[in-house]
Amino acid sequence: MHIHIENDASAPSALHLSPDVLQQHLDRHPELRNRFTLSENSNPAHTATFLGDCDLLWSGRKLALDSFHTPRLRWVQIMSAGVEQWLAHWPPGITLTNASGVHGAKGAEFILMAALMFNFGIPGFLQDQAQRLWRPTFGGCARGKNVLLLGVGGIGAAAASLLTAQGYCVTGVTRSGRCDADVARCIRIAETDDVLPQVDVLVSTLPLTPQTEGLFDRRRLDLLPARAGVVIVGRAAVFDYAALREKLCAGELAGAVLDVYPQEPLPVDDALWSTPGVVMTPHCSLDDHSAYLTGCLAVFIDNLVRDSRGYPLRNQVDVARGY
Amino acid sequence: MHIHIENDASAPSALHLSPDVLQQHLDRHPELRNRFTLSENSNPAHTATFLGDCDLLWSGRKLALDSFHTPRLRWVQIMSAGVEQWLAHWPPGITLTNASGVHGAKGAEFILMAALMFNFGIPGFLQDQAQRLWRPTFGGCARGKNVLLLGVGGIGAAAASLLTAQGYCVTGVTRSGRCDADVARCIRIAETDDVLPQVDVLVSTLPLTPQTEGLFDRRRLDLLPARAGVVIVGRAAVFDYAALREKLCAGELAGAVLDVYPQEPLPVDDALWSTPGVVMTPHCSLDDHSAYLTGCLAVFIDNLVRDSRGYPLRNQVDVARGY
């Protein structure tokens, strides 16, 4: 069986998987040893040739897979959690597994940080600091405040654990209204409207799917109280950023800690850069390059073992559902 | 026995203790019921009269106690944790108990937030945002990073618990080199020099005493690595703020999250307002006005019970030691 590794030449070398490293990991498992041939490529001009010959594909680069001839390909392991760009060009009959879970540890810490920043009024104090204004406020503890957590997948579940341990009252939001994560309760998306007026911190880890696109439009944002802060680490297109910006400018939200944007890199003339209450990180706060490749590889090796035993794969994307 | 309450007319009403509220709390304890007469004052012109007649004093206002005639006064309960201004005017033979511990819950959350902010490079990203620069960095998790925690009293011990639970490796620093808090190890102040080069986050909760004043001078700050962030929530005079500012301007520190300043309110022409990497809160991040009076009152009532039983008091300040 042949595994092809497609690396992204423009990515940092810490994100390149070498055939040697993959072989070392395969050799640690008796079931995987001597079962695979390996190839590697990072030159887009040669990708088609390699894809024509492989059974399994590890890809660190986004590919419009339906534009290639892939007669033997049956399974693709990708290095991202978000899959909407893959699914736009997905040939039928091929299995897709993603990197869900790899962002959990760092993403959860980032979400906890952002929630605490709202509790301590940091977005407002940064504006005061810029104007050299000394205006203390003596609010309460974060403990007991309400977090609405949109999406309880790998990142959301990890965040739920940290937030709950910190004393936040976490309400999870999932498609089914059910989850196994450490939340006080879990509701369906249709039920969020009733909860939004009590929210202190709104956190979105939602993927982009036909169901989530534009979900947080102006009407839903208007249901949030002015004390609420918004944290977006999932896909940006779930939110109406123009409406979010207008509400921040009008003082109708306490602030926004954002890692993702409608266009990335954010254009230099975008008004978001200087919107009051916005704290921006440039789409890097969930990715730990020192651990990322290892995390993805752990998913892949585990799945190769499962595949060899005929067990269901981890992180298998439901192509129809979109995540 | 007479308890006099001295309130600060300029403080928010949430910080005023009324005789009625104190009486209600006393009435809940059989040992305290019907034992005390109470008085209250917030007019400085009348303070001397009240101090001349009381056995116990609850004070929400700083007083130069040695300038008053206090023939019967044997014990003062104050509403702050810092005592250096009281001790500068302290008559011999009077017991002082402070509000240590009341700031723990909120202070610990603030310190955790600040530590996480350094891990996610927020001080640097705020500068990038101001310049509309998109420069992602993909660092690791906070878990496993080193925190040096100067002072392990009420705030420090609460912070140690949260930081340790979050996976930080916390080294406490105390006068004795010992503490009961949840730290990986505890060292004496004299041993900090050896540890400073490995520090990711330096947190100071130190009180101002003859031993701590100016402790973090330029020489000690120079021992920190450039990746280190500094969090100061104890007394400002422990640090050389001019040296701290110069190091931040030179990029020799990752940032500083500051709640206290050499002069408060910070003068509008102070260069600190616009120092790169500085995130400022105006001396309010440890005080929760919704819970503060209740917390101080709990200490006082507990101490009144202890006093009636002849037990040692909680939060008794060692006047010679300075905290």
Side-chain angles (χ1 to χ4, degrees), chain B residues 97-321:
Chain B
T97 55
N98 70 0
S100 178
V102 174
H103 307 79
K106 190 177 169 192
E109 291 180 350
F110 183 77
I111 289 168
L112 175 60
M113 173 202 77
L116 289 169
M117 283 173 69
F118 291 124
N119 194 67
F120 287 93
I122 300 297
F125 284 133
L126 287 168
Q127 294 172 65
D128 284 358
Q129 183 176 348
Q131 298 172 73
R132 300 182 176 233
L133 288 173
W134 180 274
R135 300 194 300 185
T137 55
F138 299 91
C141 285
R143 179 166 289 278
K145 297 270 170 78
N146 295 318
V147 175
L148 189 66
L149 184 58
L150 306 173
V152 193
I155 298 159
S161 294
L162 292 198
L163 291 165
T164 298
Q166 205 48 52
Y168 281 100
C169 177
V170 181
T171 301
V173 180
T174 64
R175 211 174 57 127
S176 64
R178 291 187 301 273
C179 70
D180 294 327
D182 192 6
V183 297
R185 64 175 176 143
C186 193
I187 62 175
R188 287 176 297 116
I189 287 173
E191 297 170 277
T192 54
D193 286 12
D194 299 334
V195 177
L196 288 170
Q198 285 80 49
V199 165
D200 294 295
V201 185
L202 176 69
V203 179
S204 178
T205 70
L206 286 174
L208 182 60
T209 73
Q211 287 72 44
T212 65
E213 187 164 8
L215 188 70
F216 269 76
D217 53 9
R218 183 179 305 269
R219 186 191 69 77
R220 279 216 168 81
L221 289 171
D222 278 341
L223 293 173
L224 287 166
R227 69 169 188 273
V230 176
V231 185
I232 311 181
V233 299
R235 289 303 190 220
V238 174
F239 283 77
D240 179 343
Y241 270 58
L244 179 63
R245 209 183 75 74
E246 283 171 31
K247 288 186 69 68
L248 286 161
C249 289
E252 292 170 9
L253 285 172
V257 175
L258 306 173
D259 188 51
V260 294
Y261 308 91
Q263 193 183 337
E264 296 181 4
L266 190 66
V268 285
D269 61 351
D270 197 297
L272 203 60
W273 290 103
S274 58
T275 298
V278 170
V279 174
M280 291 174 38
T281 55
H283 204 150
C284 58
S285 294
L286 278 61
D287 293 347
D288 168 7
H289 280 187
S290 67
Y292 200 86
L293 186 70
T294 307
C296 292
L297 201 46
V299 172
F300 190 44
I301 295 291
D302 182 35
N303 272 340
L304 287 169
V305 172
R306 286 165 183 258
D307 187 58
S308 75
R309 295 176 184 173
Y311 295 168
L313 301 185
R314 267 169 72 188
N315 285 6
Q316 187 166 343
V317 174
D318 181 328
V319 173
R321 203 177 56 175

Side-chain angles (χ1 to χ4, degrees), chain B residues 63-93:
Chain B
L63 300 170
L65 209 59
D66 60 0
S67 68
F68 293 91
H69 182 57
T70 55
R72 291 163 46 189
L73 185 62
R74 65 178 180 88
W75 166 23
V76 181
Q77 170 72 50
I78 63 171
M79 285 185 70
S80 66
V83 295
E84 74 278 7
Q85 288 171 292
W86 285 93
L87 293 185
H89 304 278
W90 199 251

Side-chain angles (χ1 to χ4, degrees), chain A residues 113-126:
Chain A
M113 174 201 77
L116 289 170
M117 283 173 68
F118 291 123
N119 194 66
F120 287 94
I122 300 298
F125 284 134
L126 287 168

